[in-house]
Amino acid sequence: MIFVTAFDQYAVQAFELAALDYLVKPVRAARLADALKKARRRADDAERLERSALSVRQNLSCLERGRILLVPVAEILYLKAEQKYVTARTAEREYLLEESLVHLETEFSQRFLRIHRNCLVARGAVSGVERAADEGDAEAHWQVIIEGAAERLPVSRRQWPQVKSLLKLHGQ
């Protein structure tokens, strides 16, 4: 907001209302031009900030042997929490990340699905599920089959409905 008025006594109140500028009549053309430039810069900054907030990271950082590696999010098959680290698994290898699984789930909710309290799986990497019975447990549970990975990932009972919905969406 730019206030233009003949009364200079309201300037403090205007700035309390987050005024960008306060012009007192008669307004000089140069002074008006400066106020409009300031408003344009503010609008450009707000637009840039909004674009950066909406952009999704394309890579995750992994510190390994004194160097930082970038792991493309598109290549991650699953994310698994172990101790204080998260393991990101791609078709080629595993990477240790220093980010929380909860944060990654929130940031990449469109890409990853929680299948267990300690595991997120890339929605596009799920090729199916299979039943597996534990040796000491009479009750069978489900495991996700990941395309490009030999291991099977257990699905918790709590997360099973979401996994089942994903499979129905993909016609599996």
PDB file of all heavy atoms in Angstrom, residues 83-109:
ATOM      1  N   GLN A  83      17.579 -46.033  12.994  1.00  0.00           N
ATOM      2  CA  GLN A  83      18.259 -45.218  13.997  1.00  0.00           C
ATOM      3  C   GLN A  83      17.964 -43.747  13.717  1.00  0.00           C
ATOM      4  O   GLN A  83      16.824 -43.368  13.578  1.00  0.00           O
ATOM      5  CB  GLN A  83      19.764 -45.507  14.023  1.00  0.00           C
ATOM      6  CG  GLN A  83      20.133 -46.961  14.187  1.00  0.00           C
ATOM      7  CD  GLN A  83      19.841 -47.488  15.581  1.00  0.00           C
ATOM      8  OE1 GLN A  83      20.169 -46.857  16.557  1.00  0.00           O
ATOM      9  NE2 GLN A  83      19.209 -48.635  15.656  1.00  0.00           N
ATOM     10  N   LYS A  84      19.014 -42.911  13.602  1.00  0.00           N
ATOM     11  CA  LYS A  84      18.776 -41.492  13.369  1.00  0.00           C
ATOM     12  C   LYS A  84      18.934 -41.108  11.890  1.00  0.00           C
ATOM     13  O   LYS A  84      18.866 -39.946  11.540  1.00  0.00           O
ATOM     14  CB  LYS A  84      19.700 -40.637  14.235  1.00  0.00           C
ATOM     15  CG  LYS A  84      21.159 -40.705  13.873  1.00  0.00           C
ATOM     16  CD  LYS A  84      21.957 -39.731  14.731  1.00  0.00           C
ATOM     17  CE  LYS A  84      23.357 -39.583  14.154  1.00  0.00           C
ATOM     18  NZ  LYS A  84      24.056 -38.450  14.718  1.00  0.00           N
ATOM     19  N   TYR A  85      19.140 -42.080  11.030  1.00  0.00           N
ATOM     20  CA  TYR A  85      19.310 -41.833   9.606  1.00  0.00           C
ATOM     21  C   TYR A  85      18.144 -42.404   8.803  1.00  0.00           C
ATOM     22  O   TYR A  85      17.414 -43.252   9.265  1.00  0.00           O
ATOM     23  CB  TYR A  85      20.611 -42.471   9.083  1.00  0.00           C
ATOM     24  CG  TYR A  85      21.842 -41.877   9.691  1.00  0.00           C
ATOM     25  CD1 TYR A  85      22.497 -42.504  10.743  1.00  0.00           C
ATOM     26  CD2 TYR A  85      22.351 -40.674   9.207  1.00  0.00           C
ATOM     27  CE1 TYR A  85      23.635 -41.949  11.309  1.00  0.00           C
ATOM     28  CE2 TYR A  85      23.488 -40.115   9.777  1.00  0.00           C
ATOM     29  CZ  TYR A  85      24.123 -40.753  10.818  1.00  0.00           C
ATOM     30  OH  TYR A  85      25.240 -40.201  11.371  1.00  0.00           O
ATOM     31  N   VAL A  86      18.057 -41.935   7.570  1.00  0.00           N
ATOM     32  CA  VAL A  86      17.100 -42.483   6.619  1.00  0.00           C
ATOM     33  C   VAL A  86      17.914 -43.017   5.448  1.00  0.00           C
ATOM     34  O   VAL A  86      18.797 -42.341   4.926  1.00  0.00           O
ATOM     35  CB  VAL A  86      16.101 -41.403   6.133  1.00  0.00           C
ATOM     36  CG1 VAL A  86      15.267 -41.906   4.975  1.00  0.00           C
ATOM     37  CG2 VAL A  86      15.207 -40.962   7.274  1.00  0.00           C
ATOM     38  N   THR A  87      17.618 -44.245   5.046  1.00  0.00           N
ATOM     39  CA  THR A  87      18.272 -44.834   3.895  1.00  0.00           C
ATOM     40  C   THR A  87      17.394 -44.611   2.678  1.00  0.00           C
ATOM     41  O   THR A  87      16.206 -44.937   2.687  1.00  0.00           O
ATOM     42  CB  THR A  87      18.467 -46.359   4.097  1.00  0.00           C
ATOM     43  OG1 THR A  87      19.246 -46.565   5.267  1.00  0.00           O
ATOM     44  CG2 THR A  87      19.150 -46.987   2.909  1.00  0.00           C
ATOM     45  N   ALA A  88      17.982 -44.028   1.641  1.00  0.00           N
ATOM     46  CA  ALA A  88      17.291 -43.853   0.360  1.00  0.00           C
ATOM     47  C   ALA A  88      17.808 -44.939  -0.570  1.00  0.00           C
ATOM     48  O   ALA A  88      19.002 -45.047  -0.804  1.00  0.00           O
ATOM     49  CB  ALA A  88      17.580 -42.476  -0.223  1.00  0.00           C
ATOM     50  N   ARG A  89      16.917 -45.760  -1.099  1.00  0.00           N
ATOM     51  CA  ARG A  89      17.316 -46.879  -1.965  1.00  0.00           C
ATOM     52  C   ARG A  89      16.945 -46.564  -3.402  1.00  0.00           C
ATOM     53  O   ARG A  89      15.788 -46.248  -3.704  1.00  0.00           O
ATOM     54  CB  ARG A  89      16.596 -48.155  -1.505  1.00  0.00           C
ATOM     55  CG  ARG A  89      16.854 -49.360  -2.368  1.00  0.00           C
ATOM     56  CD  ARG A  89      18.256 -49.897  -2.072  1.00  0.00           C
ATOM     57  NE  ARG A  89      18.402 -51.256  -2.512  1.00  0.00           N
ATOM     58  CZ  ARG A  89      18.831 -51.610  -3.730  1.00  0.00           C
ATOM     59  NH1 ARG A  89      19.136 -50.700  -4.609  1.00  0.00           N
ATOM     60  NH2 ARG A  89      18.944 -52.875  -4.035  1.00  0.00           N
ATOM     61  N   THR A  90      17.932 -46.616  -4.282  1.00  0.00           N
ATOM     62  CA  THR A  90      17.693 -46.504  -5.711  1.00  0.00           C
ATOM     63  C   THR A  90      17.939 -47.885  -6.307  1.00  0.00           C
ATOM     64  O   THR A  90      18.312 -48.821  -5.591  1.00  0.00           O
ATOM     65  CB  THR A  90      18.644 -45.480  -6.370  1.00  0.00           C
ATOM     66  OG1 THR A  90      19.983 -45.960  -6.275  1.00  0.00           O
ATOM     67  CG2 THR A  90      18.523 -44.101  -5.732  1.00  0.00           C
ATOM     68  N   ALA A  91      17.776 -48.036  -7.592  1.00  0.00           N
ATOM     69  CA  ALA A  91      18.021 -49.327  -8.241  1.00  0.00           C
ATOM     70  C   ALA A  91      19.499 -49.717  -8.123  1.00  0.00           C
ATOM     71  O   ALA A  91      19.821 -50.901  -8.025  1.00  0.00           O
ATOM     72  CB  ALA A  91      17.600 -49.277  -9.699  1.00  0.00           C
ATOM     73  N   GLU A  92      20.397 -48.738  -8.082  1.00  0.00           N
ATOM     74  CA  GLU A  92      21.827 -49.016  -8.046  1.00  0.00           C
ATOM     75  C   GLU A  92      22.380 -49.247  -6.647  1.00  0.00           C
ATOM     76  O   GLU A  92      23.208 -50.123  -6.439  1.00  0.00           O
ATOM     77  CB  GLU A  92      22.627 -47.861  -8.683  1.00  0.00           C
ATOM     78  CG  GLU A  92      22.452 -47.720 -10.179  1.00  0.00           C
ATOM     79  CD  GLU A  92      21.167 -46.974 -10.523  1.00  0.00           C
ATOM     80  OE1 GLU A  92      20.811 -46.031  -9.789  1.00  0.00           O
ATOM     81  OE2 GLU A  92      20.512 -47.356 -11.505  1.00  0.00           O
ATOM     82  N   ARG A  93      21.949 -48.425  -5.667  1.00  0.00           N
ATOM     83  CA  ARG A  93      22.575 -48.479  -4.345  1.00  0.00           C
ATOM     84  C   ARG A  93      21.749 -47.774  -3.277  1.00  0.00           C
ATOM     85  O   ARG A  93      20.686 -47.247  -3.567  1.00  0.00           O
ATOM     86  CB  ARG A  93      23.978 -47.883  -4.401  1.00  0.00           C
ATOM     87  CG  ARG A  93      23.993 -46.430  -4.879  1.00  0.00           C
ATOM     88  CD  ARG A  93      25.338 -45.821  -4.772  1.00  0.00           C
ATOM     89  NE  ARG A  93      25.596 -45.496  -3.387  1.00  0.00           N
ATOM     90  CZ  ARG A  93      26.458 -44.584  -2.977  1.00  0.00           C
ATOM     91  NH1 ARG A  93      27.190 -43.936  -3.830  1.00  0.00           N
ATOM     92  NH2 ARG A  93      26.631 -44.326  -1.715  1.00  0.00           N
ATOM     93  N   GLU A  94      22.297 -47.753  -2.059  1.00  0.00           N
ATOM     94  CA  GLU A  94      21.662 -47.062  -0.937  1.00  0.00           C
ATOM     95  C   GLU A  94      22.461 -45.820  -0.575  1.00  0.00           C
ATOM     96  O   GLU A  94      23.685 -45.794  -0.730  1.00  0.00           O
ATOM     97  CB  GLU A  94      21.594 -47.988   0.286  1.00  0.00           C
ATOM     98  CG  GLU A  94      20.673 -49.164   0.104  1.00  0.00           C
ATOM     99  CD  GLU A  94      20.580 -50.023   1.358  1.00  0.00           C
ATOM    100  OE1 GLU A  94      21.444 -49.917   2.247  1.00  0.00           O
ATOM    101  OE2 GLU A  94      19.625 -50.806   1.430  1.00  0.00           O
ATOM    102  N   TYR A  95      21.772 -44.809  -0.058  1.00  0.00           N
ATOM    103  CA  TYR A  95      22.388 -43.568   0.401  1.00  0.00           C
ATOM    104  C   TYR A  95      21.874 -43.273   1.801  1.00  0.00           C
ATOM    105  O   TYR A  95      20.695 -43.486   2.079  1.00  0.00           O
ATOM    106  CB  TYR A  95      22.000 -42.400  -0.509  1.00  0.00           C
ATOM    107  CG  TYR A  95      22.435 -42.536  -1.943  1.00  0.00           C
ATOM    108  CD1 TYR A  95      21.622 -43.180  -2.871  1.00  0.00           C
ATOM    109  CD2 TYR A  95      23.644 -42.010  -2.369  1.00  0.00           C
ATOM    110  CE1 TYR A  95      22.010 -43.298  -4.193  1.00  0.00           C
ATOM    111  CE2 TYR A  95      24.044 -42.121  -3.692  1.00  0.00           C
ATOM    112  CZ  TYR A  95      23.224 -42.767  -4.601  1.00  0.00           C
ATOM    113  OH  TYR A  95      23.610 -42.887  -5.906  1.00  0.00           O
ATOM    114  N   LEU A  96      22.735 -42.757   2.671  1.00  0.00           N
ATOM    115  CA  LEU A  96      22.314 -42.341   4.013  1.00  0.00           C
ATOM    116  C   LEU A  96      21.996 -40.852   4.000  1.00  0.00           C
ATOM    117  O   LEU A  96      22.820 -40.037   3.596  1.00  0.00           O
ATOM    118  CB  LEU A  96      23.402 -42.612   5.042  1.00  0.00           C
ATOM    119  CG  LEU A  96      23.531 -44.035   5.531  1.00  0.00           C
ATOM    120  CD1 LEU A  96      24.634 -44.135   6.586  1.00  0.00           C
ATOM    121  CD2 LEU A  96      22.236 -44.561   6.095  1.00  0.00           C
ATOM    122  N   LEU A  97      20.805 -40.522   4.451  1.00  0.00           N
ATOM    123  CA  LEU A  97      20.364 -39.125   4.501  1.00  0.00           C
ATOM    124  C   LEU A  97      20.235 -38.694   5.950  1.00  0.00           C
ATOM    125  O   LEU A  97      19.926 -39.502   6.814  1.00  0.00           O
ATOM    126  CB  LEU A  97      18.997 -38.980   3.820  1.00  0.00           C
ATOM    127  CG  LEU A  97      18.854 -39.562   2.411  1.00  0.00           C
ATOM    128  CD1 LEU A  97      17.409 -39.424   1.943  1.00  0.00           C
ATOM    129  CD2 LEU A  97      19.793 -38.875   1.451  1.00  0.00           C
ATOM    130  N   GLU A  98      20.420 -37.425   6.195  1.00  0.00           N
ATOM    131  CA  GLU A  98      20.258 -36.893   7.546  1.00  0.00           C
ATOM    132  C   GLU A  98      18.987 -36.049   7.634  1.00  0.00           C
ATOM    133  O   GLU A  98      18.988 -34.958   8.183  1.00  0.00           O
ATOM    134  CB  GLU A  98      21.489 -36.077   7.940  1.00  0.00           C
ATOM    135  CG  GLU A  98      22.723 -36.924   8.100  1.00  0.00           C
ATOM    136  CD  GLU A  98      23.908 -36.152   8.640  1.00  0.00           C
ATOM    137  OE1 GLU A  98      23.721 -35.067   9.226  1.00  0.00           O
ATOM    138  OE2 GLU A  98      25.031 -36.640   8.483  1.00  0.00           O
ATOM    139  N   GLU A  99      17.908 -36.564   7.095  1.00  0.00           N
ATOM    140  CA  GLU A  99      16.606 -35.906   7.161  1.00  0.00           C
ATOM    141  C   GLU A  99      15.621 -36.861   7.810  1.00  0.00           C
ATOM    142  O   GLU A  99      15.782 -38.073   7.721  1.00  0.00           O
ATOM    143  CB  GLU A  99      16.114 -35.546   5.762  1.00  0.00           C
ATOM    144  CG  GLU A  99      16.980 -34.523   5.061  1.00  0.00           C
ATOM    145  CD  GLU A  99      16.331 -33.996   3.805  1.00  0.00           C
ATOM    146  OE1 GLU A  99      15.187 -33.497   3.885  1.00  0.00           O
ATOM    147  OE2 GLU A  99      16.962 -34.086   2.753  1.00  0.00           O
ATOM    148  N   SER A 100      14.613 -36.311   8.433  1.00  0.00           N
ATOM    149  CA  SER A 100      13.635 -37.188   9.090  1.00  0.00           C
ATOM    150  C   SER A 100      12.642 -37.736   8.068  1.00  0.00           C
ATOM    151  O   SER A 100      12.319 -37.085   7.068  1.00  0.00           O
ATOM    152  CB  SER A 100      12.885 -36.430  10.184  1.00  0.00           C
ATOM    153  OG  SER A 100      11.892 -35.606   9.628  1.00  0.00           O
ATOM    154  N   LEU A 101      12.176 -38.927   8.333  1.00  0.00           N
ATOM    155  CA  LEU A 101      11.201 -39.578   7.459  1.00  0.00           C
ATOM    156  C   LEU A 101       9.895 -38.778   7.430  1.00  0.00           C
ATOM    157  O   LEU A 101       9.267 -38.646   6.380  1.00  0.00           O
ATOM    158  CB  LEU A 101      10.951 -41.013   7.946  1.00  0.00           C
ATOM    159  CG  LEU A 101      10.335 -41.971   6.945  1.00  0.00           C
ATOM    160  CD1 LEU A 101      11.237 -42.158   5.737  1.00  0.00           C
ATOM    161  CD2 LEU A 101      10.052 -43.308   7.585  1.00  0.00           C
ATOM    162  N   VAL A 102       9.522 -38.210   8.562  1.00  0.00           N
ATOM    163  CA  VAL A 102       8.284 -37.415   8.646  1.00  0.00           C
ATOM    164  C   VAL A 102       8.391 -36.188   7.733  1.00  0.00           C
ATOM    165  O   VAL A 102       7.457 -35.863   6.994  1.00  0.00           O
ATOM    166  CB  VAL A 102       7.998 -36.991  10.102  1.00  0.00           C
ATOM    167  CG1 VAL A 102       6.863 -36.000  10.179  1.00  0.00           C
ATOM    168  CG2 VAL A 102       7.702 -38.210  10.950  1.00  0.00           C
ATOM    169  N   HIS A 103       9.538 -35.523   7.762  1.00  0.00           N
ATOM    170  CA  HIS A 103       9.743 -34.345   6.912  1.00  0.00           C
ATOM    171  C   HIS A 103       9.684 -34.736   5.433  1.00  0.00           C
ATOM    172  O   HIS A 103       9.040 -34.062   4.625  1.00  0.00           O
ATOM    173  CB  HIS A 103      11.085 -33.676   7.234  1.00  0.00           C
ATOM    174  CG  HIS A 103      11.437 -32.571   6.302  1.00  0.00           C
ATOM    175  ND1 HIS A 103      10.863 -31.329   6.389  1.00  0.00           N
ATOM    176  CD2 HIS A 103      12.259 -32.539   5.234  1.00  0.00           C
ATOM    177  CE1 HIS A 103      11.335 -30.568   5.408  1.00  0.00           C
ATOM    178  NE2 HIS A 103      12.189 -31.281   4.702  1.00  0.00           N
ATOM    179  N   LEU A 104      10.336 -35.820   5.082  1.00  0.00           N
ATOM    180  CA  LEU A 104      10.339 -36.283   3.690  1.00  0.00           C
ATOM    181  C   LEU A 104       8.933 -36.687   3.245  1.00  0.00           C
ATOM    182  O   LEU A 104       8.528 -36.403   2.116  1.00  0.00           O
ATOM    183  CB  LEU A 104      11.318 -37.444   3.518  1.00  0.00           C
ATOM    184  CG  LEU A 104      12.791 -37.065   3.672  1.00  0.00           C
ATOM    185  CD1 LEU A 104      13.647 -38.315   3.794  1.00  0.00           C
ATOM    186  CD2 LEU A 104      13.257 -36.186   2.523  1.00  0.00           C
ATOM    187  N   GLU A 105       8.189 -37.322   4.136  1.00  0.00           N
ATOM    188  CA  GLU A 105       6.816 -37.719   3.813  1.00  0.00           C
ATOM    189  C   GLU A 105       5.956 -36.487   3.540  1.00  0.00           C
ATOM    190  O   GLU A 105       5.168 -36.466   2.589  1.00  0.00           O
ATOM    191  CB  GLU A 105       6.209 -38.527   4.951  1.00  0.00           C
ATOM    192  CG  GLU A 105       4.783 -38.947   4.698  1.00  0.00           C
ATOM    193  CD  GLU A 105       4.165 -39.717   5.851  1.00  0.00           C
ATOM    194  OE1 GLU A 105       4.627 -39.565   7.001  1.00  0.00           O
ATOM    195  OE2 GLU A 105       3.211 -40.471   5.604  1.00  0.00           O
ATOM    196  N   THR A 106       6.111 -35.464   4.345  1.00  0.00           N
ATOM    197  CA  THR A 106       5.342 -34.235   4.171  1.00  0.00           C
ATOM    198  C   THR A 106       5.713 -33.535   2.867  1.00  0.00           C
ATOM    199  O   THR A 106       4.854 -33.137   2.090  1.00  0.00           O
ATOM    200  CB  THR A 106       5.579 -33.278   5.357  1.00  0.00           C
ATOM    201  OG1 THR A 106       5.221 -33.957   6.558  1.00  0.00           O
ATOM    202  CG2 THR A 106       4.760 -32.009   5.218  1.00  0.00           C
ATOM    203  N   GLU A 107       7.005 -33.408   2.622  1.00  0.00           N
ATOM    204  CA  GLU A 107       7.476 -32.689   1.441  1.00  0.00           C
ATOM    205  C   GLU A 107       7.145 -33.420   0.140  1.00  0.00           C
ATOM    206  O   GLU A 107       6.823 -32.798  -0.864  1.00  0.00           O
ATOM    207  CB  GLU A 107       8.983 -32.469   1.526  1.00  0.00           C
ATOM    208  CG  GLU A 107       9.532 -31.634   0.407  1.00  0.00           C
ATOM    209  CD  GLU A 107      11.012 -31.316   0.543  1.00  0.00           C
ATOM    210  OE1 GLU A 107      11.624 -31.671   1.571  1.00  0.00           O
ATOM    211  OE2 GLU A 107      11.559 -30.712  -0.393  1.00  0.00           O
ATOM    212  N   PHE A 108       7.225 -34.737   0.158  1.00  0.00           N
ATOM    213  CA  PHE A 108       7.031 -35.526  -1.062  1.00  0.00           C
ATOM    214  C   PHE A 108       5.804 -36.433  -0.969  1.00  0.00           C
ATOM    215  O   PHE A 108       5.821 -37.564  -1.442  1.00  0.00           O
ATOM    216  CB  PHE A 108       8.288 -36.362  -1.351  1.00  0.00           C
ATOM    217  CG  PHE A 108       9.520 -35.536  -1.555  1.00  0.00           C
ATOM    218  CD1 PHE A 108      10.474 -35.441  -0.554  1.00  0.00           C
ATOM    219  CD2 PHE A 108       9.715 -34.835  -2.736  1.00  0.00           C
ATOM    220  CE1 PHE A 108      11.622 -34.678  -0.734  1.00  0.00           C
ATOM    221  CE2 PHE A 108      10.856 -34.067  -2.915  1.00  0.00           C
ATOM    222  CZ  PHE A 108      11.813 -33.978  -1.921  1.00  0.00           C
ATOM    223  N   SER A 109       4.738 -35.931  -0.398  1.00  0.00           N
ATOM    224  CA  SER A 109       3.537 -36.751  -0.184  1.00  0.00           C
ATOM    225  C   SER A 109       2.909 -37.248  -1.483  1.00  0.00           C
ATOM    226  O   SER A 109       2.264 -38.288  -1.499  1.00  0.00           O
ATOM    227  CB  SER A 109       2.499 -35.974   0.629  1.00  0.00           C
ATOM    228  OG  SER A 109       2.102 -34.822  -0.084  1.00  0.00           O
TER     229      SER A 109
END
